[in-house]
Amino acid sequence: MGDIEEASQRVGAIVEDLRTFSARQESEKIMVDLADVAGLAVRWVSKSRPEDGAISLSIPEGLMVKGHSGQLTQVVVNLINNALDAAAESGQPEVRVDGGTDGGKTWLSVTDNGPGIPDDRIHQIFDPFYTTKKVGEGTGLGLSISYGLVAEHGGTLEAENLAGGGARFVVSLGQQ
Ligand SMILES: Nc1ncnc2c1ncn2[C@@H]1O[C@H](COP(=O)(O)OP(=O)(O)O)[C@@H](O)[C@H]1O
Ligand SMILES: [Mg+2]
């Protein structure tokens, strides 16, 4: 019985992840302001999590990229949720969303003060179903879906550990 319960919880969470993803298919790429995308993502996350006070958003207006705003919002929601999960392990959780331009690229990053990613796992975290979370708390799909969505925009999604602890995920998109 325990096994069945656990399996059904996992399937429920997976279906939920895929449903948000598939509901957000949009036909055409348009010019999107990453400041709006990040703002929407933070509002979305705030609705479902009490720790949203830990998030600080500092993105300049007018960070334009060509893309699907719903899909990009989904990516940032996934990254913020992961960052909050990780930061929850520290006494004073902090998550930062930053953005800017750098030599023809537009970037957005989500940084947390959690434990970081173990060095021997950093190449696995983007694999579908790779999760270190408990049943019902993680599906292991967030990063693989996000990776795919960013790639479909011709961009990259990279993870790094920070020298002072914590992790940073950087979405980098071609400037339009
Ligand atoms: N900010 C982060 N800090 C540390 N580990 C992370 C972070 N984001 C993701 N991870 C690791 O990558 C795994 C996969 O993430 P994800 O694909 O979003 O799936 P899920 O969040 O459902 O576990 C997580 O379970 C966690 O082990
Ligand atoms: Mg996740």
Side-chain angles (χ1 to χ4, degrees), residues 17 78-79 82-86 110 112 114-118 124-127 129-133 137-144 161 166-169:
D17 265 14
N78 287 339
L79 296 179
N82 281 347
L84 284 172
D85 289 343
V110 180
D112 65 72
I117 304 144
Q124 256 178 298
I125 58 171
F126 295 102
D127 292 348
F129 303 110
Y130 175 79
T131 183
T132 53
K133 294 169 194 173
E137 287 173 17
T139 59
L141 286 174
L143 284 180
S144 64
N161 283 315
R168 177 170 181 247
F169 285 77

Side-chain angles (χ1 to χ4, degrees), residues 32 47 52 70 82 118 147 161:
V32 181
K47 283 193 183 135
D52 62 294
N82 281 347
Y147 190 95
N161 283 315

